[in-house]
Amino acid sequence: MAACAPAFVNRPLSVSFPRFFLFLFFLSTAAVAPAVAQEPAVVTGLVTDPSGGVLPGATVEAVRGLRVLAAATTGVDGRYRLDLPPGGGQRVAVRLSGFAPAGAPVTAGAVDAGTVTLDFRLDLAPLRDTVVVTASRTPERRASVTESHAVFAAEDVQRLGSHSVADVLRQVPGFSVQSTGREGAIASVFARGGESDYNQVLIDGVRMSADGGAYDFSRIAAGEIDRVEVVRGAQSALYGSDAIGSVIQIFTKRGSPDRGPRLTGSIEGGSFGTSRGDLRLLGGARRRFDYQLGVAHRSTDGAFQDRLPEPDRFDQQVIDGSAGAVLGDHTRLRSGFRYSSARANSVGPITYVPGDTGTGYDTDALTWHLDLDQRLGSRVDHEFTTSWFRAGRRSDDAVADPRHVVRAVLEGRPGALYPAGPRLVRLLDQAAFDRLAADPGGLAAGQFLALSGPYSGYDYPFTFETQLRRPAARYQINATWMDRQVLSAGYDYYRETNALDEAQRIANHSWFAQQQFAVADAWFVTGGARVDDNAHYGRTVNPKLSAGGYPLPVRSGTLSSVKVAANLGRGIKNPTFSQLYGSQWVDGDLSLQPEQAVTADVGAELTFADQRWLARATWFRNDYTEQIAYAPSLGGGGDGVADYLNIDGSRATGLEIELGLRRPIGGLTASAAYALVDTEVVSNVSTSEQFQSGQPLLRRPRHSGHVRLDYTRGRAGLHLNLQLAGDRHDSAFLGLQRAADGRTVDITVNPGYALLTLGGQVRVHDDLTLFARVDNAMNAVYDSALGYPGLPRAVVAGGRFTLGD
């Protein structure tokens, strides 16, 4: 596809769109007619379940537009009372966990009468039927979401003992999370066999992925997280580039408009000089305004000081804040910011070589967003968002360390398909290597000697720095017709610039539409498409179709529900600036096309014994094409310098199985998951044996899973989390050669591991909880990525507190 003309970047729309959409918003705000003042009214009623039993503890709210006018909780008799302020257009909404929400308007005639009686019968709904926004970019009940998704609340993060969002994502079936060392080292997510840059990451709606989709998941501290939503499969129909394998959205903490100011926080410390903490002020006023301001800190000395020539310190500081207000009854304004700064080293694959000295891996990121959403009536609402993202990353090496030669005993067949390829038996010093070279009789059958080749093991000083800027704006309008059918449409714009080279600039304009159908509140279909018009890659169209529902709706009984779902989508990932513009080591190519994927999945979810037990199974297939490959030996430009080019790519298929005890038995809840992920290289231009056709993709275990047990009794709780990862195809990238004949070989098999985390907590006061945790309790020795040892056993302890309302 031919690239668009450069003038496309400078067309007037890319300059005037913020003012244009703000004008639309304020115009529409002025057009909303004020309600005629009415006398106050009292609303009373009874809330029951399908059998007629009363439901205490249900939340009942009177709402006008976006504003909550009054709220109450049903008593032990299931009854409630609301005192409504003057004005028409109210609606009473009722919600209770485990039941479908219900609501009814308060008619003008009823308000005139002064007293209104509204009784509600709540139907059963799936447990934990929370509201999800990432799957369709509109709020919807989790029960109606047909996309493959996972949701983690702040309580889940605490029970898991997570250090960062990377630890949370290890619980998602089909996700492989690999790290290059201690806390704060680079953490990558491979979703359902996709590449590590196939995830679009958002924090409070702001896209955080770098140009080309890369993201380091170690740099979001657990203390910042209020909620994580994950949607698997291609989602470019709504999110555009990078949403080729998943969308991961992190929501930070915010205040409550119906609570006064309070101070919350946590502090913990433990092994390897590790300390973590956060402190934040939250609150609200008059059910119209909320605010939050917080700070978080993490630091560690690392776990391998006895193996390193210099300290391996990691420090991160984060400050974030947000505020929201309801203006009138129909318009809501929210703004927020987040700044993160982290400093660390990059010591290299210390399983095989001494740590690199003089290195640095520093990042900083600043985001800001402003959101306006407004109800134009009972059936139409729209929203406008503008945001700013600035990210800097600097990797450097100031010291040229002496060359280090790796000598090892390997076994397996060089060039063979995994798992028959070479694996490490043991490392050798020079004396042991020389003895075995002189007398190979000490080697077992199938074993051979290998050592670093003549062009490997050298350390060169370098500096690599990026400064990404991304202003963005988005408009979406939603219209509800025939009660439950929602039509959404909108426009999305962003511009990416490398601040270190103003010639590196990309503008993207997108238009999207989506229709959500609901039939009898039991069957759901969502279809949509997005058209991206990019300054470099031209126009792409990405559709998506999701469908599913309940052959057996939620009910009481041995088999209490059956839900089925299927999804089909197309995704894209744009090239990086370095792939487009090149560097001193590789030629850039402005004709590169976005990488593409077609993903499909089919699944079923069953609950048993009144939803106490859950079983879920999902089959998926992902086909990746136009993948961008590094071709070091082609020199297609005739200059002998390496090139990038699009190739056919790879594929992945798999099965995800989840089991859970969701309603406690004697205080015990449990969950387990297993994923089978088969990946395969379809074609490549690399001469490395790790990337030949038929090989699995690197760092994606074929078998993985987890088991979680949580036991609560009174004010105390115990938690067990067992994380499992099977053997996987990998590469040590050591440049080894077989000693016998000089053939290029490498270590290609990374053994599996099991990590056990044990934790406990006790609530010593309503506002103070103390906890302790043992990470890697069995002290497993393993490499997350080949050459990068995982953390040994660590003990931490601390507390969480709340002061104020």
Side-chain angles (χ1 to χ4, degrees):
M1 187 179 296
C4 294
F8 178 79
V9 180
N10 299 315
R11 62 185 181 182
L13 186 58
S14 67
V15 177
S16 62
F17 72 89
R19 297 178 182 174
F20 174 70
F21 282 118
L22 284 172
F23 171 75
L24 283 182
F25 251 91
F26 288 114
L27 182 64
S28 59
T29 301
V32 177
V36 177
Q38 298 176 348
E39 295 297 320
V42 176
V43 180
T44 61
L46 177 69
V47 180
T48 60
D49 63 20
S51 68
V54 299
L55 289 175
T59 299
V60 187
E61 294 178 332
V63 181
R64 182 192 294 135
L66 297 170
R67 181 186 172 194
V68 177
L69 304 174
T73 302
T74 56
V76 294
D77 58 355
R79 295 192 174 274
Y80 71 92
R81 173 191 169 107
L82 290 173
D83 296 316
L84 268 63
Q90 299 98 335
R91 179 178 177 83
V92 174
V94 185
R95 67 179 189 275
L96 180 65
S97 178
F99 294 87
V106 181
T107 64
V111 173
D112 291 340
T115 301
V116 181
T117 300
L118 289 175
D119 295 333
F120 295 93
R121 191 192 76 165
L122 302 187
D123 294 325
L124 290 174
L127 291 176
R128 301 179 182 178
D129 186 20
T130 57
V131 174
V132 178
V133 300
T134 306
S136 64
R137 275 200 148 162
T138 59
E140 57 180 328
R141 291 170 45 208
R142 192 173 178 181
S144 64
V145 177
T146 54
E147 291 87 347
S148 296
H149 70 284
V151 179
F152 302 90
E155 295 79 10
D156 299 310
V157 176
Q158 292 169 2
R159 285 194 292 266
L160 288 169
S162 305
H163 308 156
S164 68
V165 72
D167 295 321
V168 179
L169 297 177
R170 296 180 199 277
Q171 306 298 307
V172 180
F175 272 28
S176 174
V177 182
Q178 307 296 340
S179 175
T180 58
R182 46 98 181 102
E183 180 179 358
I186 297 174
S188 303
V189 170
F190 303 87
R192 285 181 168 175
E195 298 293 341
S196 60
D197 51 6
Y198 281 6
N199 313 288
Q200 186 172 128
V201 182
L202 304 102
I203 298 183
D204 294 328
V206 180
R207 180 178 162 205
M208 301 291 293
S209 310
D211 60 292
Y215 190 75
D216 181 357
F217 290 88
S218 72
R219 302 283 161 120
I220 302 178
E224 304 177 60
I225 300 172
D226 183 65
R227 180 180 174 87
V228 178
E229 293 184 6
V230 178
V231 181
R232 288 162 284 179
Q235 305 296 323
S236 292
L238 279 178
Y239 291 92
S241 178
D242 308 341
I244 187 171
S246 78
V247 172
I248 300 167
Q249 183 155 205
I250 299 101
F251 299 90
T252 59
K253 297 174 181 178
R254 64 172 58 175
S256 301
D258 56 351
R259 297 187 62 177
R262 67 190 190 280
L263 199 65
T264 69
S266 68
I267 185 170
E268 65 179 271
S271 303
F272 316 125
T274 298
S275 64
R276 308 180 188 97
D278 66 280
L279 182 68
R280 57 194 69 246
L281 175 68
L282 310 95
R286 304 182 65 178
R287 294 195 179 95
R288 282 181 173 267
F289 177 71
D290 67 84
Y291 55 87
Q292 182 272 139
L293 180 65
V295 294
H297 169 77
R298 290 191 293 161
S299 64
T300 180
D301 293 330
F304 308 107
Q305 289 301 310
D306 58 333
R307 300 164 57 176
L308 296 173
E310 62 182 19
D312 184 25
R313 180 81 179 170
F314 167 69
D315 290 280
Q316 182 184 23
Q317 293 78 37
V318 179
I319 179 171
D320 63 272
S322 65
V326 176
L327 310 177
D329 293 332
H330 301 279
T331 303
R332 179 166 48 206
L333 175 69
R334 174 166 294 280
S335 185
F337 75 95
R338 176 182 182 270
Y339 175 73
S340 169
S341 176
R343 300 291 178 263
N345 296 336
S346 182
V347 298
I350 61 175
T351 297
Y352 308 121
V353 298
D356 200 355
T357 61
T359 65
Y361 170 53
D362 303 334
T363 61
D364 65 84
L366 173 65
T367 64
W368 170 85
H369 65 93
L370 176 67
D371 310 319
L372 278 166
D373 59 277
Q374 179 186 66
R375 290 190 181 275
L376 301 179
S378 61
R379 294 181 176 273
V380 180
D381 64 86
H382 64 167
E383 61 186 57
F384 169 73
T385 297
T386 184
S387 64
W388 169 261
F389 173 61
R390 188 198 76 188
R393 177 167 64 94
R394 180 186 174 96
S395 297
D396 55 19
D397 188 345
V399 178
D401 293 309
R403 180 178 185 244
H404 183 82
V405 177
V406 175
R407 301 172 181 86
V409 176
L410 307 182
E411 64 181 5
R413 292 185 291 113
L417 294 181
Y418 173 88
R423 67 176 67 208
L424 178 67
V425 177
R426 63 185 182 275
L427 296 174
L428 303 172
D429 59 23
Q430 183 170 352
F433 182 88
D434 292 342
R435 285 195 300 270
L436 286 173
D439 181 14
L443 299 174
Q447 295 182 353
F448 60 93
L449 295 176
L451 76 165
S452 301
Y455 303 108
S456 62
Y458 291 95
D459 183 50
Y460 299 98
F462 70 89
T463 296
F464 179 79
E465 185 174 6
T466 61
Q467 291 288 337
L468 179 67
R469 306 290 184 266
R470 184 190 293 129
R474 187 174 185 276
Y475 175 80
Q476 179 172 323
I477 186 167
N478 309 300
T480 302
W481 54 281
M482 292 183 63
D483 188 36
R484 291 290 310 279
Q485 323 312 318
V486 180
L487 175 63
S488 303
Y491 167 77
D492 201 343
Y493 168 86
Y494 67 85
R495 184 180 70 245
E496 291 180 334
T497 305
N498 179 2
L500 302 178
D501 184 351
E502 287 296 325
Q504 299 183 15
R505 178 187 297 261
I506 294 175
N508 195 93
H509 302 263
S510 306
W511 297 263
F512 59 90
Q514 173 183 265
Q515 175 64 61
Q516 297 171 262
F517 295 98
V519 179
D521 205 28
W523 294 95
F524 311 96
V525 177
T526 299
R530 171 175 168 135
V531 178
D532 282 274
D533 209 342
N534 191 280
H536 279 279
Y537 325 115
R539 183 166 296 173
T540 58
V541 180
N542 295 294
K544 168 188 168 183
L545 179 64
S546 300
Y550 291 85
L552 179 66
V554 177
R555 64 175 187 177
S556 297
T558 303
L559 180 60
S560 44
S561 71
V562 176
K563 181 182 179 181
V564 296
N567 298 278
L568 179 65
R570 182 177 181 272
I572 59 170
K573 187 199 79 69
N574 292 337
T576 66
F577 279 146
S578 61
Q579 291 168 342
L580 290 173
Y581 296 98
S583 67
Q584 59 180 314
W585 299 287
V586 60
D587 286 330
D589 187 350
L590 292 176
S591 68
L592 285 173
Q593 294 301 299
E595 301 186 37
Q596 302 176 16
V598 175
T599 69
D601 62 59
V602 179
E605 176 185 290
L606 288 75
T607 63
F608 305 91
D610 299 335
Q611 300 185 76
R612 171 159 281 165
W613 299 91
L614 173 142
R616 182 185 296 125
T618 305
W619 172 89
F620 67 86
R621 178 185 173 101
N622 302 334
D623 288 283
Y624 307 109
T625 57
E626 297 293 342
Q627 289 186 290
I628 297 174
Y630 174 74
S633 60
L634 295 185
D639 54 6
V641 179
D643 296 278
Y644 289 110
L645 69 161
N646 293 106
I647 61 172
D648 286 344
S650 57
R651 68 172 64 95
T653 58
L655 178 67
E656 300 160 348
I657 299 175
E658 301 171 73
L659 303 172
L661 170 61
R662 304 195 301 173
R663 185 179 291 121
I665 296 179
L668 178 69
T669 58
S671 66
Y674 165 77
L676 169 68
V677 180
D678 271 321
T679 63
E680 181 183 1
V681 175
V682 174
S683 68
N684 210 313
V685 294
S686 172
T687 58
S688 171
E689 60 191 40
Q690 285 78 29
F691 301 99
Q692 298 310 301
S693 297
Q695 289 280 24
L697 300 174
L698 299 187
R699 297 179 180 172
R700 286 80 148 176
R702 188 169 189 265
H703 305 283
S704 62
H706 74 264
V707 177
R708 284 179 55 189
L709 299 175
D710 297 294
Y711 175 75
T712 303
R713 187 175 183 87
R715 289 175 171 261
L718 296 174
H719 313 290
L720 178 151
N721 182 31
L722 179 64
Q723 196 73 34
L724 304 167
D727 292 0
R728 53 214 180 276
H729 187 222
D730 207 338
S731 179
F733 299 105
L734 293 174
L736 299 179
Q737 292 183 347
R738 188 162 56 183
D741 56 10
R743 173 171 179 166
T744 299
V745 296
D746 207 339
I747 305 168
T748 63
V749 179
N750 193 352
Y753 57 87
L755 300 179
L756 176 64
T757 298
L758 299 174
Q761 62 184 34
V762 58
R763 187 157 50 95
V764 298
H765 185 273
D766 289 346
D767 297 327
L768 177 63
T769 298
L770 301 180
F771 61 87
R773 188 176 64 253
V774 183
D775 298 324
N776 192 4
M778 297 183 295
N779 204 28
V781 178
Y782 69 101
D783 282 5
S784 180
L786 263 178
Y788 297 89
L791 291 174
R793 182 188 297 119
V795 179
V796 296
R800 293 184 289 270
F801 61 88
T802 299
L803 302 175
D805 185 18

